[in-house]
Amino acid sequence: MNQLATFSSRPANADDITSAFETQLRAQHSRRASFDRKARVEQLDRLADAIKRNADEIIAACAADFRKPAEEVKLTEIFPVLQEIRHTKHHLKAWMRPKRARATLGVFGTRAQVRPEAKGVCLIIAPWNYPVNLALGPLVSALAAGNSAIIKPSEMTPNASRVIRDIVDEAFTPDLVKVIEGEAAVSQQLLSLPFDHIFFTGSPAVGKIVMEAAAKNLASVTLELGGKSPTIVGPNAHIKKAARNIVWGKFANNGQTCIAPDHVFVHRDISPRFKAAIQAEIRRVYGRTPEAQKATPDYCRIVNQRHFERLRNLIEDAQAKGASILQGGQTDASQNFIAPTLIAEVSDDMAITQEELFGPILPIIDYVDIDKVIDRINANPKPLALYIFDKSKSFADDIIARTSSGAVGVNLTVVHFLHPNLPFGGANNSGIGAAHGEYGFKTFSHEKAVLEEKHSITHMLFPPYTGFVRRLINIVVRVLG
């Protein structure tokens, strides 16, 4: 771990970035016809093999960057990418197959199909919270669709960035996949280039910058963003199950998860029992005291001092404005440690209710009227995820029908990210576009319409517009319009 921590990223300069882009652009033009399914599967196999060979290095890098437990690295960094590769290889033939489009009477005598083709040279900008997963997962979809890609990993996790670079260098030639490291200036230089598609994972604020830059080159974008994902614990919830799932979804990765529960609305009738259950679950999983929680190898750390200070300020602001700490609140700046923290009696004037928390802080809000909870959710930007806990299916269905979010989890949290047949993405402020499985393949593909003349009579409608042609056009409009 200490050896890894001595490494730093190798920031690229403007010439390096332009050269890498132009190299891929030339190669993409030449390989467009030859990068068939067999070649794509071969590249996916190379990626899978490189990940497996570097599994120990991935684990050590994440530990060095923010003390991420090995088990969490395996489950949330390595497994999702390997599953994505396996799933993609199994279905790629069907996804690549041209789809027939049935003719209507207006185009009778033609044959139509939709052919997926590679968009071209793609840019993947990955975040720091799941650095390996969110860099290499989109790469699987990009390669499956026949693209080349430049990956910009986050400079905030330099050890993971180095391992990503090593995996890519080991598996691919730079004309197909290349890692470019550096800070914000490198991202700005990359965004100035005319990529065919940009896949960005990060905050809504930076997502707007990416979208603005992409518009200058009319590049298509996928934005995987975030927001304040609400959780509703209904009056008939299975309390122990709700506490177990919320604690895991919230405090894994130290709360630094874009789809983690941001805050919990709990029905007043069960609130005391739920609060007791969630406190007991925190003690069971992470330790009974702050000292035990700091000592456990199962609890991650905040990624850097800046984010640690931001979260500590949120806690202090809430306390100063009347919130009460149900559990946690202890911090240690020397380790960027914040204990799993439950906060009650929050109000709208607190920063904790306005900002995406992205850390191990969970406000718990009592409610009586579910309509008011739904109104409150709908008054805010659409969240990336919404979680509902209740034994009543009609209770959950009503909330789903009356709210909008990127995804919904019923009696679970976060797990929908691991489902390869579900689209993963947000809505408006929480994201644009989708990832994973066939949805990821389509994200990196252009669906090309191909229409072939067989026995068409549309030429009979061409000018000159004689009396016969005019009568024929009138019939077509009247009968087929």
Side-chain angles (χ1 to χ4, degrees), residues 40-55 58 77-89 132 136-137 139-140 143 167-168 170-172:
R40 299 178 194 185
V41 168
E42 180 182 340
Q43 297 302 325
L44 293 176
D45 283 336
R46 292 175 64 88
L47 176 59
D49 290 343
I51 291 171
K52 292 173 184 176
R53 282 193 297 270
N54 288 275
I58 294 171
E77 301 279 3
I78 297 172
F79 167 70
V81 183
L82 294 178
Q83 178 185 237
E84 189 78 24
I85 293 171
R86 182 188 181 98
H87 181 78
T88 297
K89 286 169 55 182
V132 177
L136 300 183
L139 177 63
V140 175
L143 292 172
I167 288 171
V168 166
E170 183 179 320
F172 307 109

Side-chain angles (χ1 to χ4, degrees), residues 417-470:
F417 181 90
L418 298 175
H419 198 311
N421 286 319
L422 284 177
F424 181 80
N428 298 112
N429 194 71
S430 57
I432 296 173
H436 298 177
E438 186 174 11
Y439 300 95
F441 175 83
K442 289 183 175 181
T443 285
F444 284 97
S445 299
H446 166 62
E447 294 184 306
K448 179 191 287 185
V450 179
L451 186 65
E452 180 184 357
E453 199 279 336
K454 299 300 289 182
H455 307 291
S456 174
I457 58 172
T458 53
H459 62 278
M460 296 176 66
L461 306 177
F462 296 170
Y465 296 121
T466 64
F468 172 76
V469 174
R470 288 199 299 272

Side-chain angles (χ1 to χ4, degrees), residues 404-423:
S404 179
S405 59
V408 177
V410 180
N411 295 320
L412 53 75
T413 63
V414 177
V415 180
H416 63 279
F417 181 90
L418 298 175
H419 198 311
N421 286 319
L422 284 177

Side-chain angles (χ1 to χ4, degrees), residues 59 68-81 83 130 133 248 252 417-418:
I59 291 169
K68 191 165 183 173
E71 289 70 24
E72 280 190 20
V73 176
K74 293 175 185 177
L75 184 62
T76 66
E77 301 279 3
I78 297 172
F79 167 70
V81 183
Q83 178 185 237
Y130 292 90
N133 179 350
W248 177 74
F417 181 90
L418 298 175

Side-chain angles (χ1 to χ4, degrees), residues 465-477:
Y465 296 121
T466 64
F468 172 76
V469 174
R470 288 199 299 272
R471 288 192 297 275
L472 193 57
I473 289 174
N474 288 337
I475 291 171
V476 168
V477 173

Side-chain angles (χ1 to χ4, degrees), residues 26 168 171 190 220 273 387 457:
R26 289 191 298 269
V168 166
L190 285 165
S220 58
R273 287 181 290 147
Y387 302 114
I457 58 172

